[in-house]
Amino acid sequence: MTEHAASSLRDLVFTTETVPVIDELAALNALLPELPDALEGHAALLERLPPLLDLRGRALAHTQQYERFLTLAEADPSALEYMVDIGNALALLAHAGGIAMLLADNHARLVIGARIPHGMEEAARRFSGSVPPRPGDSDGTAPEVHHLEDGLALEAWFNDPPDLVTLLDEARTLFAAIETWSHAEPPSLSWYGARRGALILAYAKLCQIGLWPARSSDDLLVKLEVEGLASGRRDDPDPMRALVEIALGVGRRIARQGGRFVTVLGGVEL
């Protein structure tokens, strides 16, 4: 995708090509291998997670596009009325990418500005965002970087949200599987890896629920259940539980844009 010079949102030239939009959290589930043994499959997921630098690169690129959106909106605020969902989509993609990176590896550390180990210079440049993300295979099955010029596809994606009830049911199924595996006798050699893989997928689903703004009372109820579920799972890693709170906060901010979204249940603002 080539960016075109634009002085405001109205000057953008949108591509008319069909551009699949896949966020990083939704994409994690597609990486789960189909193996006869579910425990082995979830353990194998760890070997199929995307490289952290790729995740960060796409998240930074979407953040930069969102910032570009805000800059162009300042030049002509009246265009926001019918283009706001382009910005919403980019905000979701950026946050989903950042959350997916943290879920994939809670121990990722690369301090920019300090002494960089020999041989890590290119990785540091990619981590800082000074090197653009590498293009993917563009077959429509994996996340790609999207620009403002993909606005029509971004709007369509944002206005076709996932079913939040289904995501919550799937997360609960994963938690139940973890509980079952933990009581197996004798314990499987793949138990630790399977638990971590299942937790990554479960929390990815909870964070998806958090990021998408509620469009109905049912959606809002699901978000409340997610908040209680994450806060109550005290044996899970604290960073994962914190990511759910962050995602819920992003979803609330988007929902407060106007009457299209639901922020009040039983007269109480949530």
Side-chain angles (χ1 to χ4, degrees), residues 200-238:
I200 288 172
L201 294 182
Y203 276 87
K205 295 176 187 296
L206 297 186
C207 288
Q208 277 185 274
I209 295 170
L211 288 176
W212 286 91
R215 298 171 191 255
S216 68
S217 296
D218 287 342
D219 284 351
L220 207 55
L221 286 171
V222 170
K223 284 174 170 284
L224 285 174
E225 290 185 56
V226 164
E227 192 165 22
L229 180 61
S231 64
R233 292 189 59 84
R234 301 192 179 276
D235 291 335
D236 292 347
D238 287 340

PDB file of all heavy atoms in Angstrom, residues 200-238:
ATOM      1  N   ILE A 200      -2.674 -18.238  26.813  1.00  0.00           N
ATOM      2  CA  ILE A 200      -2.479 -17.209  25.782  1.00  0.00           C
ATOM      3  C   ILE A 200      -3.744 -17.051  24.952  1.00  0.00           C
ATOM      4  O   ILE A 200      -4.221 -15.932  24.711  1.00  0.00           O
ATOM      5  CB  ILE A 200      -1.274 -17.562  24.888  1.00  0.00           C
ATOM      6  CG1 ILE A 200       0.039 -17.372  25.660  1.00  0.00           C
ATOM      7  CG2 ILE A 200      -1.261 -16.693  23.623  1.00  0.00           C
ATOM      8  CD1 ILE A 200       1.266 -17.867  24.921  1.00  0.00           C
ATOM      9  N   LEU A 201      -4.310 -18.172  24.522  1.00  0.00           N
ATOM     10  CA  LEU A 201      -5.521 -18.102  23.695  1.00  0.00           C
ATOM     11  C   LEU A 201      -6.716 -17.582  24.489  1.00  0.00           C
ATOM     12  O   LEU A 201      -7.510 -16.777  23.978  1.00  0.00           O
ATOM     13  CB  LEU A 201      -5.839 -19.485  23.124  1.00  0.00           C
ATOM     14  CG  LEU A 201      -4.833 -20.056  22.113  1.00  0.00           C
ATOM     15  CD1 LEU A 201      -5.319 -21.403  21.597  1.00  0.00           C
ATOM     16  CD2 LEU A 201      -4.626 -19.086  20.955  1.00  0.00           C
ATOM     17  N   ALA A 202      -6.854 -18.028  25.731  1.00  0.00           N
ATOM     18  CA  ALA A 202      -7.986 -17.585  26.547  1.00  0.00           C
ATOM     19  C   ALA A 202      -7.917 -16.083  26.802  1.00  0.00           C
ATOM     20  O   ALA A 202      -8.919 -15.365  26.660  1.00  0.00           O
ATOM     21  CB  ALA A 202      -8.010 -18.346  27.870  1.00  0.00           C
ATOM     22  N   TYR A 203      -6.742 -15.602  27.177  1.00  0.00           N
ATOM     23  CA  TYR A 203      -6.623 -14.172  27.457  1.00  0.00           C
ATOM     24  C   TYR A 203      -6.678 -13.330  26.189  1.00  0.00           C
ATOM     25  O   TYR A 203      -7.106 -12.170  26.226  1.00  0.00           O
ATOM     26  CB  TYR A 203      -5.365 -13.894  28.282  1.00  0.00           C
ATOM     27  CG  TYR A 203      -5.621 -14.101  29.759  1.00  0.00           C
ATOM     28  CD1 TYR A 203      -5.476 -15.350  30.342  1.00  0.00           C
ATOM     29  CD2 TYR A 203      -6.075 -13.057  30.555  1.00  0.00           C
ATOM     30  CE1 TYR A 203      -5.758 -15.560  31.690  1.00  0.00           C
ATOM     31  CE2 TYR A 203      -6.350 -13.252  31.899  1.00  0.00           C
ATOM     32  CZ  TYR A 203      -6.198 -14.500  32.462  1.00  0.00           C
ATOM     33  OH  TYR A 203      -6.491 -14.689  33.791  1.00  0.00           O
ATOM     34  N   ALA A 204      -6.274 -13.901  25.070  1.00  0.00           N
ATOM     35  CA  ALA A 204      -6.446 -13.189  23.803  1.00  0.00           C
ATOM     36  C   ALA A 204      -7.931 -12.961  23.532  1.00  0.00           C
ATOM     37  O   ALA A 204      -8.341 -11.875  23.083  1.00  0.00           O
ATOM     38  CB  ALA A 204      -5.817 -13.986  22.660  1.00  0.00           C
ATOM     39  N   LYS A 205      -8.755 -13.959  23.839  1.00  0.00           N
ATOM     40  CA  LYS A 205     -10.199 -13.817  23.636  1.00  0.00           C
ATOM     41  C   LYS A 205     -10.798 -12.803  24.616  1.00  0.00           C
ATOM     42  O   LYS A 205     -11.659 -11.988  24.240  1.00  0.00           O
ATOM     43  CB  LYS A 205     -10.876 -15.179  23.772  1.00  0.00           C
ATOM     44  CG  LYS A 205     -10.469 -16.173  22.677  1.00  0.00           C
ATOM     45  CD  LYS A 205     -11.094 -17.544  22.896  1.00  0.00           C
ATOM     46  CE  LYS A 205     -10.531 -18.549  21.896  1.00  0.00           C
ATOM     47  NZ  LYS A 205     -10.864 -18.215  20.497  1.00  0.00           N
ATOM     48  N   LEU A 206     -10.359 -12.843  25.870  1.00  0.00           N
ATOM     49  CA  LEU A 206     -10.857 -11.865  26.842  1.00  0.00           C
ATOM     50  C   LEU A 206     -10.462 -10.448  26.439  1.00  0.00           C
ATOM     51  O   LEU A 206     -11.248  -9.500  26.597  1.00  0.00           O
ATOM     52  CB  LEU A 206     -10.309 -12.187  28.233  1.00  0.00           C
ATOM     53  CG  LEU A 206     -10.726 -13.532  28.854  1.00  0.00           C
ATOM     54  CD1 LEU A 206     -10.211 -13.629  30.289  1.00  0.00           C
ATOM     55  CD2 LEU A 206     -12.233 -13.727  28.815  1.00  0.00           C
ATOM     56  N   CYS A 207      -9.260 -10.295  25.915  1.00  0.00           N
ATOM     57  CA  CYS A 207      -8.811  -8.961  25.481  1.00  0.00           C
ATOM     58  C   CYS A 207      -9.557  -8.508  24.234  1.00  0.00           C
ATOM     59  O   CYS A 207      -9.831  -7.314  24.074  1.00  0.00           O
ATOM     60  CB  CYS A 207      -7.308  -8.972  25.233  1.00  0.00           C
ATOM     61  SG  CYS A 207      -6.311  -9.069  26.744  1.00  0.00           S
ATOM     62  N   GLN A 208      -9.885  -9.441  23.342  1.00  0.00           N
ATOM     63  CA  GLN A 208     -10.723  -9.075  22.202  1.00  0.00           C
ATOM     64  C   GLN A 208     -12.052  -8.508  22.686  1.00  0.00           C
ATOM     65  O   GLN A 208     -12.532  -7.482  22.177  1.00  0.00           O
ATOM     66  CB  GLN A 208     -10.992 -10.301  21.326  1.00  0.00           C
ATOM     67  CG  GLN A 208      -9.910 -10.656  20.332  1.00  0.00           C
ATOM     68  CD  GLN A 208     -10.335 -11.809  19.452  1.00  0.00           C
ATOM     69  OE1 GLN A 208     -10.164 -12.975  19.805  1.00  0.00           O
ATOM     70  NE2 GLN A 208     -10.922 -11.502  18.317  1.00  0.00           N
ATOM     71  N   ILE A 209     -12.666  -9.184  23.638  1.00  0.00           N
ATOM     72  CA  ILE A 209     -13.937  -8.701  24.186  1.00  0.00           C
ATOM     73  C   ILE A 209     -13.758  -7.306  24.761  1.00  0.00           C
ATOM     74  O   ILE A 209     -14.605  -6.425  24.585  1.00  0.00           O
ATOM     75  CB  ILE A 209     -14.452  -9.670  25.267  1.00  0.00           C
ATOM     76  CG1 ILE A 209     -14.799 -11.027  24.649  1.00  0.00           C
ATOM     77  CG2 ILE A 209     -15.676  -9.087  25.981  1.00  0.00           C
ATOM     78  CD1 ILE A 209     -15.090 -12.118  25.668  1.00  0.00           C
ATOM     79  N   GLY A 210     -12.647  -7.105  25.453  1.00  0.00           N
ATOM     80  CA  GLY A 210     -12.409  -5.805  26.053  1.00  0.00           C
ATOM     81  C   GLY A 210     -12.256  -4.705  25.022  1.00  0.00           C
ATOM     82  O   GLY A 210     -12.796  -3.602  25.192  1.00  0.00           O
ATOM     83  N   LEU A 211     -11.543  -4.964  23.940  1.00  0.00           N
ATOM     84  CA  LEU A 211     -11.244  -3.922  22.951  1.00  0.00           C
ATOM     85  C   LEU A 211     -12.468  -3.478  22.156  1.00  0.00           C
ATOM     86  O   LEU A 211     -12.614  -2.289  21.847  1.00  0.00           O
ATOM     87  CB  LEU A 211     -10.174  -4.424  21.981  1.00  0.00           C
ATOM     88  CG  LEU A 211      -8.752  -4.559  22.517  1.00  0.00           C
ATOM     89  CD1 LEU A 211      -7.844  -5.154  21.448  1.00  0.00           C
ATOM     90  CD2 LEU A 211      -8.207  -3.206  22.967  1.00  0.00           C
ATOM     91  N   TRP A 212     -13.345  -4.417  21.812  1.00  0.00           N
ATOM     92  CA  TRP A 212     -14.490  -4.051  20.972  1.00  0.00           C
ATOM     93  C   TRP A 212     -15.554  -3.335  21.802  1.00  0.00           C
ATOM     94  O   TRP A 212     -15.951  -3.820  22.857  1.00  0.00           O
ATOM     95  CB  TRP A 212     -15.098  -5.289  20.328  1.00  0.00           C
ATOM     96  CG  TRP A 212     -14.239  -5.835  19.219  1.00  0.00           C
ATOM     97  CD1 TRP A 212     -13.262  -6.773  19.325  1.00  0.00           C
ATOM     98  CD2 TRP A 212     -14.274  -5.441  17.843  1.00  0.00           C
ATOM     99  NE1 TRP A 212     -12.691  -7.000  18.092  1.00  0.00           N
ATOM    100  CE2 TRP A 212     -13.282  -6.203  17.166  1.00  0.00           C
ATOM    101  CE3 TRP A 212     -15.047  -4.526  17.110  1.00  0.00           C
ATOM    102  CZ2 TRP A 212     -13.042  -6.070  15.793  1.00  0.00           C
ATOM    103  CZ3 TRP A 212     -14.812  -4.400  15.750  1.00  0.00           C
ATOM    104  CH2 TRP A 212     -13.828  -5.156  15.098  1.00  0.00           C
ATOM    105  N   PRO A 213     -16.003  -2.174  21.365  1.00  0.00           N
ATOM    106  CA  PRO A 213     -17.031  -1.449  22.130  1.00  0.00           C
ATOM    107  C   PRO A 213     -18.350  -2.203  22.134  1.00  0.00           C
ATOM    108  O   PRO A 213     -18.703  -2.873  21.158  1.00  0.00           O
ATOM    109  CB  PRO A 213     -17.158  -0.114  21.369  1.00  0.00           C
ATOM    110  CG  PRO A 213     -16.723  -0.443  19.971  1.00  0.00           C
ATOM    111  CD  PRO A 213     -15.650  -1.476  20.108  1.00  0.00           C
ATOM    112  N   ALA A 214     -19.075  -2.110  23.236  1.00  0.00           N
ATOM    113  CA  ALA A 214     -20.364  -2.795  23.363  1.00  0.00           C
ATOM    114  C   ALA A 214     -21.389  -2.149  22.445  1.00  0.00           C
ATOM    115  O   ALA A 214     -21.562  -0.924  22.446  1.00  0.00           O
ATOM    116  CB  ALA A 214     -20.834  -2.748  24.808  1.00  0.00           C
ATOM    117  N   ARG A 215     -22.090  -2.969  21.688  1.00  0.00           N
ATOM    118  CA  ARG A 215     -23.124  -2.466  20.781  1.00  0.00           C
ATOM    119  C   ARG A 215     -24.525  -2.872  21.241  1.00  0.00           C
ATOM    120  O   ARG A 215     -25.510  -2.571  20.578  1.00  0.00           O
ATOM    121  CB  ARG A 215     -22.870  -2.980  19.360  1.00  0.00           C
ATOM    122  CG  ARG A 215     -21.533  -2.503  18.795  1.00  0.00           C
ATOM    123  CD  ARG A 215     -21.177  -3.192  17.489  1.00  0.00           C
ATOM    124  NE  ARG A 215     -19.801  -2.933  17.102  1.00  0.00           N
ATOM    125  CZ  ARG A 215     -19.432  -2.093  16.134  1.00  0.00           C
ATOM    126  NH1 ARG A 215     -20.338  -1.430  15.441  1.00  0.00           N
ATOM    127  NH2 ARG A 215     -18.148  -1.912  15.856  1.00  0.00           N
ATOM    128  N   SER A 216     -24.596  -3.591  22.361  1.00  0.00           N
ATOM    129  CA  SER A 216     -25.880  -4.026  22.905  1.00  0.00           C
ATOM    130  C   SER A 216     -25.722  -4.244  24.402  1.00  0.00           C
ATOM    131  O   SER A 216     -24.596  -4.303  24.919  1.00  0.00           O
ATOM    132  CB  SER A 216     -26.344  -5.322  22.238  1.00  0.00           C
ATOM    133  OG  SER A 216     -25.487  -6.392  22.607  1.00  0.00           O
ATOM    134  N   SER A 217     -26.856  -4.387  25.084  1.00  0.00           N
ATOM    135  CA  SER A 217     -26.803  -4.680  26.517  1.00  0.00           C
ATOM    136  C   SER A 217     -26.136  -6.022  26.780  1.00  0.00           C
ATOM    137  O   SER A 217     -25.422  -6.195  27.770  1.00  0.00           O
ATOM    138  CB  SER A 217     -28.221  -4.678  27.098  1.00  0.00           C
ATOM    139  OG  SER A 217     -28.806  -3.396  27.000  1.00  0.00           O
ATOM    140  N   ASP A 218     -26.357  -6.982  25.869  1.00  0.00           N
ATOM    141  CA  ASP A 218     -25.712  -8.285  26.021  1.00  0.00           C
ATOM    142  C   ASP A 218     -24.194  -8.149  25.965  1.00  0.00           C
ATOM    143  O   ASP A 218     -23.470  -8.792  26.735  1.00  0.00           O
ATOM    144  CB  ASP A 218     -26.190  -9.249  24.932  1.00  0.00           C
ATOM    145  CG  ASP A 218     -27.620  -9.725  25.160  1.00  0.00           C
ATOM    146  OD1 ASP A 218     -28.111  -9.584  26.304  1.00  0.00           O
ATOM    147  OD2 ASP A 218     -28.235 -10.238  24.216  1.00  0.00           O
ATOM    148  N   ASP A 219     -23.705  -7.321  25.042  1.00  0.00           N
ATOM    149  CA  ASP A 219     -22.261  -7.080  24.957  1.00  0.00           C
ATOM    150  C   ASP A 219     -21.731  -6.504  26.263  1.00  0.00           C
ATOM    151  O   ASP A 219     -20.661  -6.891  26.747  1.00  0.00           O
ATOM    152  CB  ASP A 219     -21.942  -6.110  23.816  1.00  0.00           C
ATOM    153  CG  ASP A 219     -22.020  -6.749  22.444  1.00  0.00           C
ATOM    154  OD1 ASP A 219     -22.159  -7.986  22.372  1.00  0.00           O
ATOM    155  OD2 ASP A 219     -21.945  -6.011  21.449  1.00  0.00           O
ATOM    156  N   LEU A 220     -22.478  -5.573  26.824  1.00  0.00           N
ATOM    157  CA  LEU A 220     -22.033  -4.937  28.058  1.00  0.00           C
ATOM    158  C   LEU A 220     -22.006  -5.929  29.216  1.00  0.00           C
ATOM    159  O   LEU A 220     -21.099  -5.908  30.055  1.00  0.00           O
ATOM    160  CB  LEU A 220     -22.951  -3.747  28.391  1.00  0.00           C
ATOM    161  CG  LEU A 220     -22.341  -2.618  29.221  1.00  0.00           C
ATOM    162  CD1 LEU A 220     -21.070  -2.084  28.581  1.00  0.00           C
ATOM    163  CD2 LEU A 220     -23.349  -1.494  29.408  1.00  0.00           C
ATOM    164  N   LEU A 221     -22.993  -6.827  29.255  1.00  0.00           N
ATOM    165  CA  LEU A 221     -23.005  -7.867  30.282  1.00  0.00           C
ATOM    166  C   LEU A 221     -21.801  -8.791  30.143  1.00  0.00           C
ATOM    167  O   LEU A 221     -21.195  -9.200  31.139  1.00  0.00           O
ATOM    168  CB  LEU A 221     -24.302  -8.675  30.197  1.00  0.00           C
ATOM    169  CG  LEU A 221     -25.562  -7.983  30.720  1.00  0.00           C
ATOM    170  CD1 LEU A 221     -26.802  -8.803  30.373  1.00  0.00           C
ATOM    171  CD2 LEU A 221     -25.472  -7.775  32.223  1.00  0.00           C
ATOM    172  N   VAL A 222     -21.452  -9.117  28.900  1.00  0.00           N
ATOM    173  CA  VAL A 222     -20.282  -9.959  28.664  1.00  0.00           C
ATOM    174  C   VAL A 222     -19.022  -9.274  29.181  1.00  0.00           C
ATOM    175  O   VAL A 222     -18.167  -9.893  29.808  1.00  0.00           O
ATOM    176  CB  VAL A 222     -20.143 -10.284  27.162  1.00  0.00           C
ATOM    177  CG1 VAL A 222     -18.791 -10.952  26.879  1.00  0.00           C
ATOM    178  CG2 VAL A 222     -21.269 -11.203  26.709  1.00  0.00           C
ATOM    179  N   LYS A 223     -18.909  -7.980  28.927  1.00  0.00           N
ATOM    180  CA  LYS A 223     -17.736  -7.243  29.399  1.00  0.00           C
ATOM    181  C   LYS A 223     -17.654  -7.258  30.926  1.00  0.00           C
ATOM    182  O   LYS A 223     -16.572  -7.378  31.503  1.00  0.00           O
ATOM    183  CB  LYS A 223     -17.778  -5.806  28.872  1.00  0.00           C
ATOM    184  CG  LYS A 223     -17.412  -5.677  27.403  1.00  0.00           C
ATOM    185  CD  LYS A 223     -17.616  -4.250  26.921  1.00  0.00           C
ATOM    186  CE  LYS A 223     -17.034  -4.064  25.539  1.00  0.00           C
ATOM    187  NZ  LYS A 223     -15.557  -3.964  25.542  1.00  0.00           N
ATOM    188  N   LEU A 224     -18.801  -7.128  31.584  1.00  0.00           N
ATOM    189  CA  LEU A 224     -18.809  -7.195  33.045  1.00  0.00           C
ATOM    190  C   LEU A 224     -18.363  -8.570  33.532  1.00  0.00           C
ATOM    191  O   LEU A 224     -17.618  -8.689  34.513  1.00  0.00           O
ATOM    192  CB  LEU A 224     -20.212  -6.885  33.563  1.00  0.00           C
ATOM    193  CG  LEU A 224     -20.646  -5.413  33.514  1.00  0.00           C
ATOM    194  CD1 LEU A 224     -22.113  -5.281  33.924  1.00  0.00           C
ATOM    195  CD2 LEU A 224     -19.775  -4.561  34.421  1.00  0.00           C
ATOM    196  N   GLU A 225     -18.818  -9.611  32.844  1.00  0.00           N
ATOM    197  CA  GLU A 225     -18.407 -10.972  33.220  1.00  0.00           C
ATOM    198  C   GLU A 225     -16.908 -11.161  33.015  1.00  0.00           C
ATOM    199  O   GLU A 225     -16.241 -11.816  33.819  1.00  0.00           O
ATOM    200  CB  GLU A 225     -19.194 -11.982  32.394  1.00  0.00           C
ATOM    201  CG  GLU A 225     -20.670 -12.064  32.762  1.00  0.00           C
ATOM    202  CD  GLU A 225     -21.388 -13.166  32.000  1.00  0.00           C
ATOM    203  OE1 GLU A 225     -20.940 -14.320  32.084  1.00  0.00           O
ATOM    204  OE2 GLU A 225     -22.385 -12.868  31.311  1.00  0.00           O
ATOM    205  N   VAL A 226     -16.381 -10.595  31.939  1.00  0.00           N
ATOM    206  CA  VAL A 226     -14.942 -10.704  31.669  1.00  0.00           C
ATOM    207  C   VAL A 226     -14.136 -10.022  32.765  1.00  0.00           C
ATOM    208  O   VAL A 226     -13.119 -10.546  33.237  1.00  0.00           O
ATOM    209  CB  VAL A 226     -14.613 -10.097  30.294  1.00  0.00           C
ATOM    210  CG1 VAL A 226     -13.107  -9.848  30.154  1.00  0.00           C
ATOM    211  CG2 VAL A 226     -15.096 -11.009  29.178  1.00  0.00           C
ATOM    212  N   GLU A 227     -14.599  -8.853  33.178  1.00  0.00           N
ATOM    213  CA  GLU A 227     -13.890  -8.119  34.233  1.00  0.00           C
ATOM    214  C   GLU A 227     -13.844  -8.946  35.522  1.00  0.00           C
ATOM    215  O   GLU A 227     -12.800  -9.056  36.178  1.00  0.00           O
ATOM    216  CB  GLU A 227     -14.565  -6.776  34.475  1.00  0.00           C
ATOM    217  CG  GLU A 227     -13.754  -5.832  35.317  1.00  0.00           C
ATOM    218  CD  GLU A 227     -14.266  -4.408  35.251  1.00  0.00           C
ATOM    219  OE1 GLU A 227     -15.458  -4.204  34.910  1.00  0.00           O
ATOM    220  OE2 GLU A 227     -13.490  -3.489  35.534  1.00  0.00           O
ATOM    221  N   GLY A 228     -14.980  -9.548  35.874  1.00  0.00           N
ATOM    222  CA  GLY A 228     -15.018 -10.367  37.080  1.00  0.00           C
ATOM    223  C   GLY A 228     -14.206 -11.637  36.938  1.00  0.00           C
ATOM    224  O   GLY A 228     -13.535 -12.071  37.879  1.00  0.00           O
ATOM    225  N   LEU A 229     -14.253 -12.241  35.754  1.00  0.00           N
ATOM    226  CA  LEU A 229     -13.512 -13.482  35.517  1.00  0.00           C
ATOM    227  C   LEU A 229     -12.010 -13.254  35.640  1.00  0.00           C
ATOM    228  O   LEU A 229     -11.300 -14.016  36.312  1.00  0.00           O
ATOM    229  CB  LEU A 229     -13.858 -14.014  34.128  1.00  0.00           C
ATOM    230  CG  LEU A 229     -13.176 -15.320  33.691  1.00  0.00           C
ATOM    231  CD1 LEU A 229     -13.549 -16.461  34.623  1.00  0.00           C
ATOM    232  CD2 LEU A 229     -13.574 -15.659  32.243  1.00  0.00           C
ATOM    233  N   ALA A 230     -11.514 -12.203  34.999  1.00  0.00           N
ATOM    234  CA  ALA A 230     -10.077 -11.936  35.027  1.00  0.00           C
ATOM    235  C   ALA A 230      -9.594 -11.573  36.430  1.00  0.00           C
ATOM    236  O   ALA A 230      -8.525 -12.008  36.864  1.00  0.00           O
ATOM    237  CB  ALA A 230      -9.739 -10.817  34.043  1.00  0.00           C
ATOM    238  N   SER A 231     -10.381 -10.783  37.141  1.00  0.00           N
ATOM    239  CA  SER A 231      -9.960 -10.372  38.485  1.00  0.00           C
ATOM    240  C   SER A 231      -9.988 -11.541  39.464  1.00  0.00           C
ATOM    241  O   SER A 231      -9.237 -11.558  40.447  1.00  0.00           O
ATOM    242  CB  SER A 231     -10.855  -9.241  38.998  1.00  0.00           C
ATOM    243  OG  SER A 231     -12.196  -9.682  39.147  1.00  0.00           O
ATOM    244  N   GLY A 232     -10.831 -12.541  39.184  1.00  0.00           N
ATOM    245  CA  GLY A 232     -10.953 -13.665  40.099  1.00  0.00           C
ATOM    246  C   GLY A 232      -9.962 -14.789  39.876  1.00  0.00           C
ATOM    247  O   GLY A 232      -9.787 -15.650  40.737  1.00  0.00           O
ATOM    248  N   ARG A 233      -9.284 -14.794  38.727  1.00  0.00           N
ATOM    249  CA  ARG A 233      -8.342 -15.872  38.414  1.00  0.00           C
ATOM    250  C   ARG A 233      -6.957 -15.496  38.942  1.00  0.00           C
ATOM    251  O   ARG A 233      -6.031 -15.198  38.186  1.00  0.00           O
ATOM    252  CB  ARG A 233      -8.314 -16.142  36.909  1.00  0.00           C
ATOM    253  CG  ARG A 233      -9.616 -16.749  36.392  1.00  0.00           C
ATOM    254  CD  ARG A 233      -9.474 -17.195  34.953  1.00  0.00           C
ATOM    255  NE  ARG A 233      -8.417 -18.196  34.797  1.00  0.00           N
ATOM    256  CZ  ARG A 233      -8.576 -19.497  34.998  1.00  0.00           C
ATOM    257  NH1 ARG A 233      -9.758 -19.978  35.392  1.00  0.00           N
ATOM    258  NH2 ARG A 233      -7.579 -20.337  34.828  1.00  0.00           N
ATOM    259  N   ARG A 234      -6.815 -15.557  40.257  1.00  0.00           N
ATOM    260  CA  ARG A 234      -5.605 -15.043  40.910  1.00  0.00           C
ATOM    261  C   ARG A 234      -4.386 -15.948  40.743  1.00  0.00           C
ATOM    262  O   ARG A 234      -3.262 -15.526  41.033  1.00  0.00           O
ATOM    263  CB  ARG A 234      -5.890 -14.800  42.392  1.00  0.00           C
ATOM    264  CG  ARG A 234      -7.028 -13.794  42.602  1.00  0.00           C
ATOM    265  CD  ARG A 234      -7.130 -13.314  44.026  1.00  0.00           C
ATOM    266  NE  ARG A 234      -8.218 -12.350  44.166  1.00  0.00           N
ATOM    267  CZ  ARG A 234      -8.106 -11.060  43.902  1.00  0.00           C
ATOM    268  NH1 ARG A 234      -6.943 -10.582  43.489  1.00  0.00           N
ATOM    269  NH2 ARG A 234      -9.134 -10.242  44.055  1.00  0.00           N
ATOM    270  N   ASP A 235      -4.589 -17.169  40.259  1.00  0.00           N
ATOM    271  CA  ASP A 235      -3.451 -18.047  40.010  1.00  0.00           C
ATOM    272  C   ASP A 235      -2.835 -17.830  38.628  1.00  0.00           C
ATOM    273  O   ASP A 235      -1.767 -18.356  38.336  1.00  0.00           O
ATOM    274  CB  ASP A 235      -3.854 -19.521  40.155  1.00  0.00           C
ATOM    275  CG  ASP A 235      -4.160 -19.892  41.607  1.00  0.00           C
ATOM    276  OD1 ASP A 235      -3.622 -19.209  42.505  1.00  0.00           O
ATOM    277  OD2 ASP A 235      -4.925 -20.843  41.829  1.00  0.00           O
ATOM    278  N   ASP A 236      -3.527 -17.057  37.788  1.00  0.00           N
ATOM    279  CA  ASP A 236      -2.998 -16.748  36.459  1.00  0.00           C
ATOM    280  C   ASP A 236      -1.971 -15.627  36.557  1.00  0.00           C
ATOM    281  O   ASP A 236      -1.994 -14.847  37.519  1.00  0.00           O
ATOM    282  CB  ASP A 236      -4.130 -16.339  35.517  1.00  0.00           C
ATOM    283  CG  ASP A 236      -5.074 -17.491  35.199  1.00  0.00           C
ATOM    284  OD1 ASP A 236      -4.712 -18.648  35.505  1.00  0.00           O
ATOM    285  OD2 ASP A 236      -6.159 -17.223  34.660  1.00  0.00           O
ATOM    286  N   PRO A 237      -1.080 -15.510  35.574  1.00  0.00           N
ATOM    287  CA  PRO A 237      -0.068 -14.446  35.616  1.00  0.00           C
ATOM    288  C   PRO A 237      -0.705 -13.060  35.695  1.00  0.00           C
ATOM    289  O   PRO A 237      -1.627 -12.739  34.935  1.00  0.00           O
ATOM    290  CB  PRO A 237       0.686 -14.633  34.294  1.00  0.00           C
ATOM    291  CG  PRO A 237       0.483 -16.074  33.942  1.00  0.00           C
ATOM    292  CD  PRO A 237      -0.904 -16.403  34.414  1.00  0.00           C
ATOM    293  N   ASP A 238      -0.223 -12.245  36.619  1.00  0.00           N
ATOM    294  CA  ASP A 238      -0.755 -10.888  36.780  1.00  0.00           C
ATOM    295  C   ASP A 238      -0.669 -10.055  35.498  1.00  0.00           C
ATOM    296  O   ASP A 238      -1.594  -9.289  35.205  1.00  0.00           O
ATOM    297  CB  ASP A 238      -0.029 -10.170  37.922  1.00  0.00           C
ATOM    298  CG  ASP A 238      -0.435 -10.707  39.289  1.00  0.00           C
ATOM    299  OD1 ASP A 238      -1.509 -11.335  39.387  1.00  0.00           O
ATOM    300  OD2 ASP A 238       0.322 -10.504  40.254  1.00  0.00           O
TER     301      ASP A 238
END
